[in-house]
Amino acid sequence: MKLTRGKITELVNEPGCEHNHSHAGQPNKKACKQQAQPGAAQGGCAFDGASIALVPITDAAHLVHGPIACSGNSWGSRGSLSSGPVTYKTGFTTDLTENDIIFGGEKRLYQAIAQIVKHHQPAAVFVYSTCVTALIGDDLDAVCEAAAQKFGKPVIPVHAAGFVGSKNLGNRLAGEALLDHVVGTAEPEYTTPYDINLIGEYNIAGEMWNVIPLLEKVGIRVLSKITGDARYQEICYAHRAKLNVMICSKALINMARKMEEKYGIPFIEESFYGIDDMNRCLRNIAEKFGDPALKQRVEKLIASENAALDQKLAPYRSRLKGKRVVLYTGGVKSWSIISAAKDLGIEVVATSTKKSTEEDKARIKQLLGKDGITIEKGSPQELLKVIEQTGADLLIAGGRNQYTALKARVPFLDINQERHHAYAGYEGMIEMAKELEEALYSPIWEQLRTPAPWETGKGEQSPVTSDQLTVTS
């Protein structure tokens, strides 16, 4: 896939994305079409988005073609877990120098691929372009093709230089790389009538492991995971699934839409957070297959899991009921966590709408009610203002916002990719309730909110006199 202006325009105007739909005779949204402004990629560029989407392929090597700073340690701070290979945990970079930038880095890239194949034997090598290598014009496609023929391994170019756009655009560019070079290149050993793909699920903190057993209990097989805890080979035969289940809002919507066009695989968007959403997800999957026996198995599973969950959540609900929460995250979590919080008796008084589609915003409005506050750009000042205005008891957000919570003297719960706790599925609800209860009732908050001695006057001391001073030579 050559990264051209036409390709970028196609992706930002993705017809499957709600942002690009007209509503009630209104013209299409312009947000996706606007040119990126300096600093607009802060918090995630296209390169970052592409690596987020592809790095969870656990048995592949992920090679960053650029200066070493582009590698950073983002691959190590994301919580996508593996049940087997850990090749993805090693960061590979060509570490370009000034000379490489002047004379070109293609030879260095080829040597890096050769070294990776020789010493690590990955199932495949994904090669990521960066701002520098895109600007100097290194031909990723030619080098990757030559290396693949020489070493007998798939070598996939990922054209997602950071300057081309946002993290979300990078997600879609990653999807294009999979569609162009991976999906449809192999066949599964066998298929079943109930094979599905999970798209946009990255197995953060092992969340997918809470969901797949539920699907298996009713006879639904996850054929391919795109891409949490995935193996390269399973993505190769993803085109044989009967249904694509989209998670993570519209991050890889282009992939789901194009697989429907090319392979005839329908797709639905679901959430694994909260009891109601998990119930709905199972029912919607069964409804898509249209099998009465499958629907019956799903209803039996839902009844059993919900009854057990009510018992396990009872002590948490009594302590969490009535607590007020500000939620600041993105995409599908901006509304799905509201549903999960309501299941625990918690009121979400404000949530963010960043990275949210028009459909997401409609769900948020319905879940929050007329008094709920939506936050478009959550600077620390804005979050502090909202916390004070709503009298919130807790902030649920990404790791970078924990210091904002400390300034507000309210507990904090990490909900983004850096977290270490799985909140998806029925088991995830118990884990979420436990983490919320521990955060809210930690004794540190009482101490933190206690006025300092110098604020109450109790810590005043009499001035020191000269007679009390000891002078030493």
Side-chain angles (χ1 to χ4, degrees):
M1 177 196 75
K2 292 288 186 182
L3 186 59
T4 62
R5 182 183 294 273
K7 173 58 70 173
I8 295 173
T9 301
E10 174 195 330
L11 291 174
V12 297
N13 294 326
E14 166 59 44
C17 178
E18 288 288 333
H19 276 299
N20 297 316
H21 291 177
S22 59
H23 296 272
Q26 298 297 316
N28 292 359
K29 298 289 179 180
K30 297 180 179 179
C32 293
K33 301 180 183 179
Q34 293 175 349
Q35 292 295 317
Q37 299 298 313
Q42 181 181 3
C45 61
F47 162 72
D48 190 32
S51 64
I52 288 171
L54 297 177
V55 165
I57 302 173
T58 61
D59 58 354
H62 300 272
L63 172 61
V64 177
H65 184 39
I68 195 168
C70 290
S71 295
N73 68 343
S74 62
W75 49 268
S77 63
R78 305 195 185 281
S80 180
L81 300 186
S82 171
S83 59
V86 291
T87 307
Y88 77 115
K89 284 290 186 181
T90 300
F92 299 101
T93 176
T94 49
D95 186 17
L96 294 190
T97 64
E98 288 86 347
N99 279 345
D100 297 314
I101 294 170
I102 295 168
F103 297 108
E106 293 176 4
K107 184 177 180 181
R108 194 178 185 94
L109 173 58
Y110 185 88
Q111 291 171 341
I113 296 169
Q115 185 176 356
I116 289 171
V117 172
K118 179 180 178 181
H119 295 287
H120 298 274
Q121 289 297 314
V125 181
F126 286 87
V127 180
Y128 301 79
S129 66
T130 58
C131 293
V132 171
T133 50
L135 285 170
I136 65 176
D138 278 357
D139 192 341
L140 241 67
D141 295 273
V143 176
C144 290
E145 184 178 353
Q149 291 178 0
K150 174 68 175 178
F151 306 118
K153 293 277 186 182
V155 183
I156 298 98
V158 183
H159 294 278
F163 61 72
V164 303
S166 66
K167 183 188 293 186
N168 184 256
L169 177 60
N171 294 152
R172 295 180 185 182
L173 288 167
E176 292 295 306
L178 293 178
L179 288 169
D180 291 343
H181 301 284
V182 184
V183 176
T185 60
E187 296 293 334
E189 292 183 6
Y190 67 95
T191 60
T192 77
Y194 308 111
D195 286 344
I196 69 170
N197 296 326
L198 296 180
I199 299 181
E201 165 53 55
Y202 305 126
N203 199 36
I204 302 299
E207 287 190 331
M208 197 165 53
W209 300 333
N210 287 347
V211 176
I212 289 180
L214 297 172
L215 298 171
E216 290 175 344
K217 282 181 180 179
V218 297
I220 297 169
R221 182 175 73 147
V222 177
L223 181 67
S224 303
K225 305 176 290 291
I226 306 175
T227 55
D229 192 23
R231 310 297 183 264
Y232 176 80
Q233 188 70 14
E234 71 183 75
I235 301 176
C236 294
Y237 50 66
H239 62 298
R240 293 307 181 195
K242 307 300 188 298
L243 176 68
N244 280 330
V245 179
M246 282 284 304
I247 312 298
C248 193
S249 192
K250 302 297 183 182
L252 289 172
I253 183 64
N254 58 312
M255 193 169 185
R257 181 183 63 81
K258 290 184 178 181
M259 288 181 73
E260 183 172 35
E261 291 178 357
K262 187 174 182 179
Y263 303 110
I265 307 172
F267 69 90
I268 57 175
E269 183 186 358
E270 299 298 333
S271 165
F272 295 150
Y273 297 107
I275 302 171
D276 289 343
D277 284 0
M278 193 65 234
N279 293 346
R280 187 182 306 111
C281 173
L282 292 169
R283 287 180 175 131
N284 287 346
I285 294 173
E287 183 66 32
K288 275 292 182 180
F289 283 115
D291 183 346
L294 176 60
K295 293 179 184 179
Q296 188 175 6
R297 292 196 298 271
V298 164
E299 291 301 329
K300 185 177 179 180
L301 175 68
I302 289 173
S304 172
E305 292 289 340
N306 284 206
L309 201 56
D310 282 340
Q311 283 188 324
K312 294 176 182 178
L313 288 179
Y316 294 110
R317 282 172 170 158
S318 64
R319 288 171 63 81
L320 296 175
K321 187 177 180 179
K323 297 298 181 182
R324 298 163 66 84
V325 165
V326 170
L327 174 64
Y328 187 71
T329 182
V332 68
K333 293 196 295 293
S334 59
W335 57 265
S336 60
I337 297 298
I338 301 176
S339 177
K342 283 190 171 184
D343 289 335
L344 298 172
I346 295 173
E347 179 186 2
V348 177
V349 293
T351 189
S352 62
T353 55
K354 68 174 185 176
K355 305 178 191 173
S356 297
T357 65
E358 296 303 313
E359 187 180 69
D360 291 337
K361 291 177 182 178
R363 288 174 175 172
I364 289 169
K365 187 175 181 181
Q366 182 180 7
L367 288 167
L368 281 184
K370 62 179 181 178
D371 296 326
I373 298 172
T374 56
I375 309 167
E376 181 64 35
K377 294 182 179 179
S379 64
Q381 293 87 347
E382 180 68 19
L383 287 175
L384 288 169
K385 180 181 177 181
V386 170
I387 290 170
E388 182 179 5
Q389 177 184 342
T390 58
D393 300 295
L394 180 134
L395 173 64
I396 301 177
R400 72 185 67 177
N401 296 113
Q402 61 182 313
Y403 303 106
T404 303
L406 287 173
K407 288 180 182 178
R409 298 183 181 184
V410 297
F412 170 79
L413 187 69
D414 190 352
I415 197 63
N416 282 1
Q417 66 267 10
E418 302 91 352
R419 69 182 181 274
H420 300 286
H421 302 280
Y423 301 139
Y426 300 118
E427 287 297 319
M429 279 299 299
I430 300 170
E431 185 65 30
M432 181 181 288
K434 176 185 174 183
E435 293 299 317
L436 286 168
E437 194 264 351
E438 288 181 353
L440 283 163
Y441 287 95
S442 170
I444 190 63
W445 300 111
E446 183 179 352
Q447 299 176 37
L448 190 63
R449 293 165 184 156
T450 301
W454 55 85
E455 293 175 334
T456 61
K458 295 180 180 180
E460 292 182 359
Q461 297 179 359
S462 57
V464 178
T465 63
S466 58
D467 294 337
Q468 293 173 302
L469 295 175
T470 301
V471 179
T472 59
S473 58

